[in-house]
Amino acid sequence: IFYTDGLTELRDKNEMELGDRKLLQGLIKSFNDGSNIEQMMTAVQEVAALHRGDQPLADDVTFLLLRYT
């Protein structure tokens, strides 16, 4: 996964950042559940959306997820 700092710097209502750890925990859980690449992308989006809630975006949010076979 490649991502801009806007993804890990997403803030919740308490001004806490999402951070690398929480992002990667969601991605690893999805991987361990046997998800395909599309499901893993959705998992990243869900982790970000759940963390941010209804807070406005302060930066761009971009990520690229690749699968090597």
Side-chain angles (χ1 to χ4, degrees):
I1 185 169
F2 299 93
Y3 51 88
T4 61
D5 63 348
L7 181 58
T8 54
E9 292 176 357
L10 283 173
R11 295 183 184 272
D12 64 10
K13 64 181 179 181
N14 298 315
E15 293 294 314
M16 298 295 296
E17 291 185 352
L18 174 64
D20 294 314
R21 179 174 290 202
K22 190 170 182 181
L23 172 65
L24 294 177
Q25 284 173 340
L27 188 60
I28 290 167
K29 181 185 181 317
S30 178
F31 178 80
N32 288 340
D33 289 346
S35 297
N36 63 36
I37 194 77
E38 290 84 8
Q39 292 166 323
M40 292 173 74
M41 289 176 63
T42 299
V44 170
Q45 292 170 329
E46 289 174 353
V47 166
L50 287 172
H51 179 79
R52 183 171 70 96
D54 61 357
Q55 296 301 107
L57 290 175
D59 197 358
D60 67 295
V61 176
T62 306
F63 73 95
L64 174 65
L65 190 60
L66 301 172
R67 180 181 74 182
Y68 178 77
T69 57

